[in-house]
Amino acid sequence: MAIFQQLGSRTLAFFQRLGRANIFLWAVLCGMPGLIFRLRLLIQQVFSVGVLSLVIIVVAGLFVGMVLGLQGYYTLVDFGAEDSLGVMVALSLVRELGPVVAGLLFAGRAGSALTAEIGLMKATEQLSGMEMMAVDPIKRIIAPRFLAGVLSMPLLAAIFSALGVMGGYLAGVGLLGVDEGAFWSQMRSSVDFNDDIMSGIIKSIVFGAVVTWIAVFEGYDAVPTSEGVSRATTRTVVHASLAVLGLDFLLTALMFGEV
Amino acid sequence: MANTKNNLVEARGLTFQFGSRTIFDGIDLDLQRGKVTAIMGPSGTGKTTLLRLIGGQIRPTAGTLHVDGQNVPGLSRRDLFELRKRMGMLFQSGALLTDLSVFDNVAFPLREHSGLPETMVRDLVLMKLEAVGLRGAQRLMPSELSGGMARRVALARAIALDPMMIMYDEPFTGQDPISMGVLVKLIRNLNEVLGLTSIIVSHDVAETAAIADYIYVLSQGKVVGHGTPHELHQSESEWVRQFMNGAPDGPVPFHYPAADYAAELLSREGS
Protein backbone atom coordinates (compact mmCIF):
# COMPACT_ATOMS: atom_id res chain seq x y z
CA MET A 1 0.00 0.00 0.00
CA ALA A 2 2.76 2.37 1.02
CA ILE A 3 4.44 1.86 -2.33
CA PHE A 4 1.36 2.98 -4.22
CA GLN A 5 0.93 5.92 -1.93
CA GLN A 6 4.49 7.00 -2.51
CA LEU A 7 4.19 6.44 -6.24
CA GLY A 8 1.07 8.59 -6.28
CA SER A 9 2.53 11.40 -4.26
CA ARG A 10 5.69 11.43 -6.37
CA THR A 11 3.69 11.54 -9.56
CA LEU A 12 1.58 14.36 -8.19
CA ALA A 13 4.67 16.25 -7.07
CA PHE A 14 6.22 15.78 -10.51
CA PHE A 15 3.22 17.19 -12.34
CA GLN A 16 2.83 20.03 -9.87
CA ARG A 17 6.43 21.00 -10.50
CA LEU A 18 5.97 20.69 -14.23
CA GLY A 19 2.96 22.97 -13.94
CA ARG A 20 4.89 25.49 -11.90
CA ALA A 21 7.72 25.39 -14.43
CA ASN A 22 5.27 26.14 -17.24
CA ILE A 23 3.56 29.00 -15.42
CA PHE A 24 7.02 30.31 -14.66
CA LEU A 25 8.04 30.07 -18.33
CA TRP A 26 4.93 31.98 -19.31
CA ALA A 27 5.75 34.74 -16.82
CA VAL A 28 9.29 34.88 -18.18
CA LEU A 29 8.04 35.17 -21.75
CA CYS A 30 5.69 37.95 -20.69
CA GLY A 31 8.72 39.76 -19.28
CA MET A 32 10.54 39.62 -22.63
CA PRO A 33 9.10 42.68 -24.38
CA GLY A 34 10.23 44.96 -21.54
CA LEU A 35 13.82 44.01 -22.30
CA ILE A 36 13.79 46.11 -25.45
CA PHE A 37 14.16 49.16 -23.23
CA ARG A 38 16.73 47.52 -21.00
CA LEU A 39 19.27 46.23 -23.47
CA ARG A 40 22.07 46.79 -20.98
CA LEU A 41 20.67 44.08 -18.71
CA LEU A 42 20.59 41.67 -21.63
CA ILE A 43 24.11 42.49 -22.77
CA GLN A 44 25.46 41.92 -19.25
CA GLN A 45 23.85 38.51 -19.20
CA VAL A 46 25.00 37.55 -22.69
CA PHE A 47 28.46 38.27 -21.35
CA SER A 48 28.18 36.14 -18.24
CA VAL A 49 26.18 33.33 -19.85
CA GLY A 50 27.77 33.28 -23.28
CA VAL A 51 31.17 34.92 -23.33
CA LEU A 52 32.30 33.30 -20.10
CA SER A 53 31.39 29.87 -21.52
CA LEU A 54 33.57 30.51 -24.54
CA VAL A 55 36.81 29.03 -23.23
CA ILE A 56 35.41 25.59 -22.50
CA ILE A 57 33.53 25.58 -25.82
CA VAL A 58 36.61 26.53 -27.83
CA VAL A 59 38.90 24.01 -26.17
CA ALA A 60 36.34 21.21 -26.27
CA GLY A 61 35.45 21.95 -29.89
CA LEU A 62 39.05 21.79 -30.96
CA PHE A 63 39.70 18.45 -29.25
CA VAL A 64 36.43 16.83 -30.34
CA GLY A 65 37.26 17.84 -33.91
CA MET A 66 40.76 16.42 -33.67
CA VAL A 67 39.48 13.11 -32.32
CA LEU A 68 36.91 13.00 -35.10
CA GLY A 69 39.72 13.58 -37.60
CA LEU A 70 41.81 10.74 -36.21
CA GLN A 71 39.02 8.19 -35.80
CA GLY A 72 37.41 9.11 -39.10
CA TYR A 73 40.70 8.74 -40.92
CA TYR A 74 41.39 5.23 -39.57
CA THR A 75 37.97 4.05 -40.71
CA LEU A 76 37.91 5.83 -44.06
CA VAL A 77 41.43 4.91 -45.07
CA ASP A 78 40.47 1.20 -45.17
CA PHE A 79 38.10 2.03 -48.02
CA GLY A 80 40.48 4.48 -49.61
CA ALA A 81 37.97 7.22 -48.88
CA GLU A 82 40.13 9.41 -46.68
CA ASP A 83 39.45 12.34 -49.02
CA SER A 84 35.93 12.41 -47.57
CA LEU A 85 37.29 13.09 -44.10
CA GLY A 86 36.26 16.75 -44.31
CA VAL A 87 32.66 15.80 -45.08
CA MET A 88 32.52 13.33 -42.25
CA VAL A 89 33.95 15.74 -39.71
CA ALA A 90 31.79 18.66 -40.82
CA LEU A 91 28.54 16.70 -40.99
CA SER A 92 29.00 15.03 -37.61
CA LEU A 93 29.77 18.36 -36.03
CA VAL A 94 27.17 20.53 -37.66
CA ARG A 95 24.32 18.06 -37.39
CA GLU A 96 24.98 16.37 -34.08
CA LEU A 97 28.08 16.97 -32.03
CA GLY A 98 28.09 20.75 -32.28
CA PRO A 99 24.66 21.34 -30.78
CA VAL A 100 24.72 18.31 -28.47
CA VAL A 101 28.17 18.60 -26.94
CA ALA A 102 27.95 22.37 -26.79
CA GLY A 103 24.55 21.92 -25.12
CA LEU A 104 25.96 19.54 -22.54
CA LEU A 105 28.88 21.85 -21.82
CA PHE A 106 26.51 24.81 -21.69
CA ALA A 107 24.36 22.99 -19.14
CA GLY A 108 27.42 22.30 -17.03
CA ARG A 109 29.05 25.70 -17.31
CA ALA A 110 26.31 28.28 -17.71
CA GLY A 111 23.29 26.30 -16.46
CA SER A 112 24.81 25.42 -13.13
CA ALA A 113 26.07 28.97 -12.67
CA LEU A 114 22.61 30.40 -13.38
CA THR A 115 20.90 28.06 -10.94
CA ALA A 116 23.43 28.73 -8.21
CA GLU A 117 23.27 32.48 -8.73
CA ILE A 118 19.49 32.69 -8.69
CA GLY A 119 19.20 30.16 -5.87
CA LEU A 120 21.61 32.18 -3.74
CA MET A 121 19.74 35.37 -4.52
CA LYS A 122 16.65 33.64 -3.25
CA ALA A 123 18.40 32.28 -0.17
CA THR A 124 19.76 35.72 0.74
CA GLU A 125 16.30 37.28 0.32
CA GLN A 126 17.44 39.38 -2.64
CA LEU A 127 14.50 38.19 -4.71
CA SER A 128 11.87 38.92 -2.08
CA GLY A 129 13.67 42.16 -1.30
CA MET A 130 13.22 43.11 -4.92
CA GLU A 131 9.56 42.17 -4.80
CA MET A 132 9.11 44.38 -1.77
CA MET A 133 10.69 47.21 -3.74
CA ALA A 134 7.92 46.67 -6.30
CA VAL A 135 10.38 45.26 -8.82
CA ASP A 136 9.34 42.00 -10.42
CA PRO A 137 12.35 39.65 -10.14
CA ILE A 138 11.07 37.58 -13.05
CA LYS A 139 11.32 40.60 -15.32
CA ARG A 140 14.46 42.09 -13.81
CA ILE A 141 16.51 38.96 -13.08
CA ILE A 142 15.08 35.95 -14.89
CA ALA A 143 13.97 37.30 -18.27
CA PRO A 144 17.35 38.75 -19.32
CA ARG A 145 19.12 35.56 -18.25
CA PHE A 146 16.70 33.37 -20.15
CA LEU A 147 16.93 35.38 -23.32
CA ALA A 148 20.72 35.54 -23.02
CA GLY A 149 20.81 31.74 -22.84
CA VAL A 150 18.57 31.33 -25.88
CA LEU A 151 20.73 33.77 -27.86
CA SER A 152 24.09 32.47 -26.71
CA MET A 153 23.56 28.78 -27.25
CA PRO A 154 23.32 28.78 -31.09
CA LEU A 155 26.38 31.03 -31.25
CA LEU A 156 28.32 28.77 -28.93
CA ALA A 157 27.28 25.71 -30.93
CA ALA A 158 28.38 27.42 -34.14
CA ILE A 159 31.74 28.31 -32.62
CA PHE A 160 32.06 24.75 -31.36
CA SER A 161 31.41 23.35 -34.85
CA ALA A 162 33.78 25.80 -36.51
CA LEU A 163 36.58 25.01 -34.07
CA GLY A 164 35.80 21.32 -34.48
CA VAL A 165 36.26 21.55 -38.23
CA MET A 166 39.57 23.28 -37.59
CA GLY A 167 40.54 20.49 -35.23
CA GLY A 168 39.61 17.88 -37.79
CA TYR A 169 41.69 19.74 -40.34
CA LEU A 170 44.69 19.86 -38.01
CA ALA A 171 44.50 16.16 -37.28
CA GLY A 172 43.57 14.97 -40.76
CA VAL A 173 45.56 17.26 -43.02
CA GLY A 174 48.28 18.34 -40.65
CA LEU A 175 49.00 15.06 -38.89
CA LEU A 176 47.85 12.30 -41.20
CA GLY A 177 48.46 13.88 -44.58
CA VAL A 178 44.98 13.94 -46.08
CA ASP A 179 44.89 16.05 -49.24
CA GLU A 180 44.02 19.59 -48.26
CA GLY A 181 42.12 20.45 -51.42
CA ALA A 182 39.97 17.32 -51.18
CA PHE A 183 39.28 17.95 -47.51
CA TRP A 184 37.78 21.40 -48.11
CA SER A 185 36.20 20.93 -51.55
CA GLN A 186 34.35 17.74 -50.61
CA MET A 187 33.13 19.45 -47.47
CA ARG A 188 31.85 22.41 -49.47
CA SER A 189 30.01 20.30 -51.98
CA SER A 190 28.42 17.92 -49.47
CA VAL A 191 27.33 20.12 -46.60
CA ASP A 192 23.97 21.65 -47.40
CA PHE A 193 22.88 24.85 -45.73
CA ASN A 194 19.19 24.06 -45.41
CA ASP A 195 19.47 20.39 -44.52
CA ASP A 196 22.54 20.34 -42.35
CA ILE A 197 23.39 23.74 -40.99
CA MET A 198 19.81 24.88 -40.40
CA SER A 199 18.96 21.69 -38.56
CA GLY A 200 21.98 22.24 -36.34
CA ILE A 201 20.92 25.81 -35.65
CA ILE A 202 17.37 24.76 -34.84
CA LYS A 203 18.67 22.11 -32.48
CA SER A 204 20.95 24.52 -30.70
CA ILE A 205 18.20 27.10 -30.26
CA VAL A 206 15.92 24.45 -28.76
CA PHE A 207 18.69 23.17 -26.49
CA GLY A 208 19.53 26.71 -25.41
CA ALA A 209 15.93 27.45 -24.51
CA VAL A 210 15.40 24.18 -22.65
CA VAL A 211 18.70 24.23 -20.74
CA THR A 212 18.24 27.85 -19.70
CA TRP A 213 14.62 27.26 -18.78
CA ILE A 214 15.59 24.35 -16.53
CA ALA A 215 18.46 26.34 -15.03
CA VAL A 216 16.52 29.48 -14.16
CA PHE A 217 13.52 27.53 -12.94
CA GLU A 218 15.61 25.31 -10.67
CA GLY A 219 17.22 28.42 -9.22
CA TYR A 220 13.94 30.23 -8.75
CA ASP A 221 12.24 27.16 -7.28
CA ALA A 222 15.19 26.11 -5.09
CA VAL A 223 14.75 25.54 -1.38
CA PRO A 224 16.37 28.73 -0.05
CA THR A 225 19.12 27.09 1.98
CA SER A 226 22.69 26.23 1.04
CA GLU A 227 21.72 22.57 0.81
CA GLY A 228 18.70 23.39 -1.33
CA VAL A 229 20.76 25.48 -3.74
CA SER A 230 23.40 22.77 -4.14
CA ARG A 231 20.71 20.19 -4.85
CA ALA A 232 19.06 22.48 -7.37
CA THR A 233 22.39 22.99 -9.12
CA THR A 234 22.94 19.26 -9.39
CA ARG A 235 19.42 18.78 -10.68
CA THR A 236 19.99 21.45 -13.32
CA VAL A 237 23.02 19.67 -14.75
CA VAL A 238 21.39 16.23 -14.67
CA HIS A 239 18.01 17.26 -16.04
CA ALA A 240 19.39 19.65 -18.61
CA SER A 241 21.88 17.10 -19.92
CA LEU A 242 19.23 14.41 -20.19
CA ALA A 243 16.89 16.88 -21.85
CA VAL A 244 19.54 17.73 -24.44
CA LEU A 245 20.16 14.08 -25.29
CA GLY A 246 16.47 13.16 -25.35
CA LEU A 247 15.48 16.16 -27.42
CA ASP A 248 18.33 15.49 -29.80
CA PHE A 249 16.87 12.11 -30.64
CA LEU A 250 13.44 13.61 -31.05
CA LEU A 251 14.61 16.48 -33.25
CA THR A 252 16.80 14.21 -35.36
CA ALA A 253 13.90 11.86 -35.91
CA LEU A 254 11.67 14.78 -36.90
CA MET A 255 14.13 16.55 -39.18
CA PHE A 256 15.95 13.66 -40.83
CA GLY A 257 13.12 11.16 -40.40
CA GLU A 258 11.57 11.19 -43.88
CA VAL A 259 14.17 8.83 -45.34
CA MET B 1 -14.08 48.95 14.44
CA ALA B 2 -11.27 51.23 15.43
CA ASN B 3 -10.49 54.57 13.95
CA THR B 4 -9.37 53.73 10.40
CA LYS B 5 -7.92 57.16 9.77
CA ASN B 6 -5.44 56.82 12.56
CA ASN B 7 -4.40 53.30 11.73
CA LEU B 8 -2.08 52.67 8.85
CA VAL B 9 -2.27 48.92 9.22
CA GLU B 10 -5.35 47.22 10.49
CA ALA B 11 -5.85 43.47 10.71
CA ARG B 12 -9.09 41.81 11.69
CA GLY B 13 -9.38 38.09 12.34
CA LEU B 14 -6.17 37.51 10.41
CA THR B 15 -5.60 33.78 9.99
CA PHE B 16 -2.79 32.12 8.15
CA GLN B 17 -2.22 28.43 7.73
CA PHE B 18 0.84 26.87 6.24
CA GLY B 19 0.15 23.28 5.34
CA SER B 20 -1.56 21.85 8.40
CA ARG B 21 0.15 24.33 10.74
CA THR B 22 -1.78 27.37 11.90
CA ILE B 23 0.64 30.27 12.10
CA PHE B 24 -1.91 32.95 12.98
CA ASP B 25 -5.27 32.22 14.47
CA GLY B 26 -7.52 35.23 14.07
CA ILE B 27 -5.36 38.08 15.28
CA ASP B 28 -6.42 41.73 15.41
CA LEU B 29 -3.84 44.47 15.04
CA ASP B 30 -4.04 48.26 14.89
CA LEU B 31 -0.82 49.99 13.96
CA GLN B 32 -1.09 53.73 14.32
CA ARG B 33 0.32 56.20 11.87
CA GLY B 34 3.53 57.91 12.84
CA LYS B 35 4.26 55.48 15.64
CA VAL B 36 6.83 52.77 16.17
CA THR B 37 4.95 49.56 16.77
CA ALA B 38 6.77 46.41 17.74
CA ILE B 39 5.60 42.88 17.12
CA MET B 40 7.32 40.61 19.58
CA GLY B 41 7.23 36.99 20.46
CA PRO B 42 9.39 33.92 20.77
CA SER B 43 11.25 32.58 17.74
CA GLY B 44 9.05 30.66 15.37
CA THR B 45 5.81 32.51 16.08
CA GLY B 46 5.64 33.76 12.51
CA LYS B 47 6.63 37.34 13.09
CA THR B 48 8.37 37.54 9.74
CA THR B 49 5.36 35.87 8.16
CA LEU B 50 3.29 38.78 9.45
CA LEU B 51 5.50 41.25 7.57
CA ARG B 52 5.15 39.15 4.43
CA LEU B 53 1.38 39.26 4.85
CA ILE B 54 1.43 43.03 5.22
CA GLY B 55 3.68 43.31 2.16
CA GLY B 56 1.30 41.08 0.20
CA GLN B 57 3.93 38.45 -0.58
CA ILE B 58 1.64 35.79 0.84
CA ARG B 59 -2.11 35.77 1.28
CA PRO B 60 -3.90 35.09 4.54
CA THR B 61 -6.22 32.09 4.81
CA ALA B 62 -8.93 34.28 6.31
CA GLY B 63 -9.48 37.73 7.71
CA THR B 64 -8.81 41.20 6.39
CA LEU B 65 -5.63 43.23 6.36
CA HIS B 66 -5.86 46.88 5.44
CA VAL B 67 -2.84 49.02 4.73
CA ASP B 68 -3.62 52.70 4.25
CA GLY B 69 -7.26 51.79 3.66
CA GLN B 70 -6.57 49.17 0.99
CA ASN B 71 -7.27 45.50 1.62
CA VAL B 72 -3.91 43.94 0.75
CA PRO B 73 -5.04 40.36 -0.05
CA GLY B 74 -7.63 41.70 -2.49
CA LEU B 75 -5.30 43.93 -4.48
CA SER B 76 -4.37 43.24 -8.08
CA ARG B 77 -0.70 42.76 -8.80
CA ARG B 78 -0.43 46.25 -10.26
CA ASP B 79 -2.07 47.92 -7.25
CA LEU B 80 0.02 45.81 -4.91
CA PHE B 81 3.20 47.01 -6.60
CA GLU B 82 1.98 50.61 -6.33
CA LEU B 83 1.36 50.08 -2.63
CA ARG B 84 4.77 48.48 -2.15
CA LYS B 85 6.47 51.55 -3.58
CA ARG B 86 5.20 53.29 -0.47
CA MET B 87 6.45 50.57 1.87
CA GLY B 88 10.04 49.95 2.80
CA MET B 89 11.23 46.71 4.22
CA LEU B 90 14.46 45.97 5.97
CA PHE B 91 15.27 42.30 5.75
CA GLN B 92 17.17 40.47 8.42
CA SER B 93 20.04 39.79 6.05
CA GLY B 94 19.85 43.24 4.48
CA ALA B 95 19.05 41.61 1.13
CA LEU B 96 21.43 43.93 -0.69
CA LEU B 97 22.00 43.03 -4.32
CA THR B 98 25.43 41.46 -4.20
CA ASP B 99 26.46 42.45 -7.72
CA LEU B 100 25.87 46.17 -7.16
CA SER B 101 27.89 48.66 -5.11
CA VAL B 102 26.47 50.45 -2.08
CA PHE B 103 25.66 53.47 -4.21
CA ASP B 104 23.91 51.42 -6.90
CA ASN B 105 21.96 49.47 -4.30
CA VAL B 106 20.49 52.64 -2.84
CA ALA B 107 19.94 54.01 -6.34
CA PHE B 108 18.19 50.80 -7.43
CA PRO B 109 14.60 51.65 -6.40
CA LEU B 110 15.04 55.22 -7.65
CA ARG B 111 16.27 54.11 -11.06
CA GLU B 112 13.53 51.48 -11.32
CA HIS B 113 10.63 53.68 -10.31
CA SER B 114 11.29 57.39 -10.15
CA GLY B 115 12.42 58.07 -13.71
CA LEU B 116 14.50 60.93 -12.34
CA PRO B 117 17.59 62.08 -14.21
CA GLU B 118 20.84 60.53 -13.05
CA THR B 119 22.15 63.73 -11.45
CA MET B 120 19.09 63.91 -9.20
CA VAL B 121 19.34 60.20 -8.41
CA ARG B 122 22.90 60.83 -7.32
CA ASP B 123 21.94 63.67 -4.99
CA LEU B 124 19.13 61.62 -3.46
CA VAL B 125 21.38 58.60 -2.94
CA LEU B 126 24.02 60.72 -1.25
CA MET B 127 21.37 62.26 1.01
CA LYS B 128 20.01 58.86 2.01
CA LEU B 129 23.50 57.51 2.63
CA GLU B 130 24.37 60.58 4.67
CA ALA B 131 21.28 59.96 6.80
CA VAL B 132 22.59 56.53 7.79
CA GLY B 133 26.17 57.81 8.10
CA LEU B 134 27.60 55.80 5.22
CA ARG B 135 28.17 58.35 2.51
CA GLY B 136 31.85 57.50 2.72
CA ALA B 137 31.14 53.84 1.94
CA GLN B 138 29.33 54.46 -1.34
CA ARG B 139 31.93 52.71 -3.53
CA LEU B 140 32.16 49.54 -1.44
CA MET B 141 30.56 46.28 -2.52
CA PRO B 142 28.12 44.53 -0.16
CA SER B 143 30.67 41.79 0.51
CA GLU B 144 33.01 44.40 2.00
CA LEU B 145 30.47 45.61 4.56
CA SER B 146 30.05 44.46 8.14
CA GLY B 147 26.63 43.15 9.15
CA GLY B 148 25.68 46.41 10.82
CA MET B 149 26.78 48.51 7.86
CA ALA B 150 24.88 46.27 5.44
CA ARG B 151 21.74 46.83 7.45
CA ARG B 152 22.28 50.58 7.40
CA VAL B 153 22.74 50.54 3.63
CA ALA B 154 19.58 48.47 3.34
CA LEU B 155 17.86 51.06 5.51
CA ALA B 156 19.04 53.84 3.20
CA ARG B 157 17.63 51.85 0.29
CA ALA B 158 14.35 51.28 2.12
CA ILE B 159 13.85 55.03 2.59
CA ALA B 160 15.01 55.89 -0.94
CA LEU B 161 11.48 56.30 -2.27
CA ASP B 162 10.32 58.17 0.85
CA PRO B 163 7.85 55.48 1.93
CA MET B 164 4.99 55.96 4.35
CA MET B 165 6.09 53.01 6.43
CA ILE B 166 9.06 50.78 7.07
CA MET B 167 9.00 47.22 8.26
CA TYR B 168 12.03 46.01 10.14
CA ASP B 169 12.61 42.27 10.28
CA GLU B 170 14.72 41.45 13.36
CA PRO B 171 16.87 44.58 12.98
CA PHE B 172 18.96 43.90 16.10
CA THR B 173 19.72 40.22 15.69
CA GLY B 174 23.42 39.42 15.61
CA GLN B 175 24.63 43.00 16.00
CA ASP B 176 27.46 44.12 18.24
CA PRO B 177 26.51 46.68 20.92
CA ILE B 178 27.70 49.66 18.91
CA SER B 179 25.84 48.73 15.71
CA MET B 180 22.85 47.93 17.85
CA GLY B 181 22.98 51.39 19.42
CA VAL B 182 23.34 52.98 15.98
CA LEU B 183 20.34 51.08 14.62
CA VAL B 184 18.18 51.88 17.64
CA LYS B 185 18.96 55.56 17.24
CA LEU B 186 18.43 55.47 13.46
CA ILE B 187 15.07 53.74 13.61
CA ARG B 188 13.75 56.20 16.16
CA ASN B 189 15.20 59.25 14.41
CA LEU B 190 14.02 58.28 10.95
CA ASN B 191 10.57 57.69 12.32
CA GLU B 192 10.44 61.18 13.71
CA VAL B 193 12.28 63.10 11.01
CA LEU B 194 10.56 61.48 8.04
CA GLY B 195 7.19 61.08 9.73
CA LEU B 196 7.17 57.37 9.03
CA THR B 197 5.20 54.58 10.53
CA SER B 198 7.55 51.86 11.69
CA ILE B 199 6.87 48.23 12.38
CA ILE B 200 9.59 46.32 14.18
CA VAL B 201 9.54 42.57 14.42
CA SER B 202 11.96 41.48 17.09
CA HIS B 203 12.62 39.40 20.13
CA ASP B 204 15.26 41.71 21.56
CA VAL B 205 13.10 43.01 24.37
CA ALA B 206 15.30 45.74 25.84
CA GLU B 207 16.23 47.47 22.57
CA THR B 208 12.76 47.22 21.13
CA ALA B 209 11.00 48.38 24.27
CA ALA B 210 13.32 51.39 24.34
CA ILE B 211 12.04 52.76 21.03
CA ALA B 212 8.58 51.27 20.57
CA ASP B 213 5.47 53.30 21.27
CA TYR B 214 3.30 50.23 21.31
CA ILE B 215 4.01 46.53 21.49
CA TYR B 216 2.07 43.46 20.44
CA VAL B 217 3.21 40.18 21.91
CA LEU B 218 2.39 37.13 19.85
CA SER B 219 2.57 33.50 20.85
CA GLN B 220 1.19 30.36 19.28
CA GLY B 221 -0.71 32.32 16.66
CA LYS B 222 -2.50 34.60 19.10
CA VAL B 223 -1.99 38.07 20.47
CA VAL B 224 -1.21 37.36 24.11
CA GLY B 225 -0.68 40.93 25.15
CA HIS B 226 -0.47 44.45 23.83
CA GLY B 227 0.17 47.87 25.22
CA THR B 228 2.91 50.40 25.75
CA PRO B 229 6.24 48.96 26.93
CA HIS B 230 5.49 50.17 30.44
CA GLU B 231 2.07 48.52 30.49
CA LEU B 232 3.51 45.24 29.30
CA HIS B 233 6.13 45.14 32.03
CA GLN B 234 3.27 45.48 34.49
CA SER B 235 1.14 42.96 32.61
CA GLU B 236 -1.14 40.70 34.55
CA SER B 237 -0.25 37.81 32.27
CA GLU B 238 2.55 35.80 33.76
CA TRP B 239 3.53 34.69 30.28
CA VAL B 240 4.00 38.25 29.02
CA ARG B 241 6.01 39.16 32.12
CA GLN B 242 8.25 36.14 31.64
CA PHE B 243 8.84 37.16 28.03
CA MET B 244 9.46 40.82 28.77
CA ASN B 245 11.88 40.02 31.58
CA GLY B 246 13.54 37.13 29.85
CA ALA B 247 13.07 34.77 32.83
CA PRO B 248 14.32 31.26 32.06
CA ASP B 249 11.44 29.47 33.76
CA GLY B 250 7.81 30.30 34.17
CA PRO B 251 4.69 29.55 32.14
CA VAL B 252 7.08 28.62 29.35
CA PRO B 253 8.90 25.77 31.03
CA PHE B 254 12.65 25.39 30.86
CA HIS B 255 12.27 21.72 30.02
CA TYR B 256 10.96 20.45 26.74
CA PRO B 257 8.12 18.02 27.55
CA ALA B 258 9.66 14.67 28.35
CA ALA B 259 9.05 11.45 30.21
CA ASP B 260 9.82 11.34 33.90
CA TYR B 261 13.54 12.03 34.41
CA ALA B 262 14.25 9.39 37.06
CA ALA B 263 12.26 6.79 35.23
CA GLU B 264 14.14 7.43 31.98
CA LEU B 265 17.54 7.27 33.66
CA LEU B 266 16.68 4.00 35.35
CA SER B 267 15.17 2.38 32.30
CA ARG B 268 17.44 0.19 30.22
CA GLU B 269 15.76 0.87 26.91
CA GLY B 270 17.86 2.14 24.09
CA SER B 271 21.18 1.62 25.90
Side-chain angles (χ1 to χ4, degrees), chain B residues 10-235:
Chain B
E10 205 175 83
R12 288 289 173 271
L14 190 67
T15 303
F16 181 69
Q17 285 166 336
F18 188 76
S20 57
R21 230 160 68 89
T22 302
I23 314 274
F24 298 121
D25 188 8
I27 57 171
D28 296 340
L29 298 169
D30 292 303
L31 311 191
Q32 284 185 29
R33 284 178 199 273
K35 298 280 163 114
V36 178
T37 307
I39 315 283
M40 308 189 75
S43 313
T45 39
K47 301 188 297 291
T48 306
T49 309
L50 184 62
L51 294 187
R52 288 187 186 279
L53 282 166
I54 296 175
Q57 287 193 314
I58 44 179
R59 281 163 201 271
T61 318
T64 60
L65 177 62
H66 285 86
V67 175
D68 200 26
Q70 292 174 286
N71 186 23
V72 175
L75 288 179
S76 70
R77 195 169 166 78
R78 182 183 296 267
D79 291 339
L80 186 60
F81 270 40
E82 282 306 315
L83 184 64
R84 279 182 190 164
K85 287 179 194 172
R86 298 190 289 138
M87 295 178 173
M89 176 146 174
L90 188 72
F91 284 85
Q92 198 171 345
S93 61
L96 295 175
L97 302 171
T98 38
D99 56 341
L100 299 180
S101 70
V102 165
F103 183 95
D104 290 329
N105 260 291
V106 181
F108 182 82
L110 292 166
R111 286 177 180 152
E112 290 288 328
H113 295 308
S114 70
L116 292 171
E118 195 57 25
T119 48
M120 209 179 268
V121 168
R122 178 176 171 275
D123 291 350
L124 280 171
V125 171
L126 293 182
M127 281 158 65
K128 303 298 174 188
L129 280 173
E130 176 73 19
V132 297
L134 289 176
R135 189 165 47 83
Q138 54 178 294
R139 305 227 175 282
L140 298 182
M141 294 304 284
S143 55
E144 298 171 278
L145 301 175
S146 71
M149 283 163 83
R151 252 172 244 191
R152 280 151 74 189
V153 173
L155 187 52
R157 185 177 69 175
I159 56 171
L161 289 172
D162 291 318
M164 59 182 177
M165 65 185 263
I166 297 198
M167 298 185 273
Y168 299 92
D169 187 6
E170 300 283 1
F172 309 119
T173 306
Q175 298 293 312
D176 62 69
I178 300 179
S179 315
M180 190 109 91
V182 169
L183 283 166
V184 167
K185 179 173 160 285
L186 268 176
I187 293 175
R188 188 72 234 184
N189 284 359
L190 286 176
N191 197 75
E192 254 135 56
V193 175
L194 303 177
L196 294 166
T197 303
S198 306
I199 307 172
I200 304 177
V201 151
S202 179
H203 46 54
D204 293 290
V205 175
E207 288 74 20
T208 312
I211 51 170
D213 295 308
Y214 205 82
I215 298 178
Y216 281 89
V217 183
L218 300 182
S219 177
Q220 318 239 329
K222 302 256 191 207
V223 174
V224 291
H226 59 97
T228 62
H230 183 72
E231 283 168 13
L232 283 182
H233 276 293
Q234 316 289 319
S235 170

Side-chain angles (χ1 to χ4, degrees), chain A residues 5 12 27 34 38 44 65 77 88 114 121 131 135 141 153 183 189 193 196 210 216 220 230 232 256-257:
Chain A
Q5 202 174 23
L12 274 180
R38 321 266 323 237
Q44 272 174 1
V77 80
M88 200 216 89
L114 280 175
M121 288 182 93
E131 263 184 41
V135 175
I141 299 290
M153 184 53 215
F183 185 89
S189 60
F193 184 80
D196 305 320
V210 171
V216 291
Y220 194 78
S230 82
F256 300 99

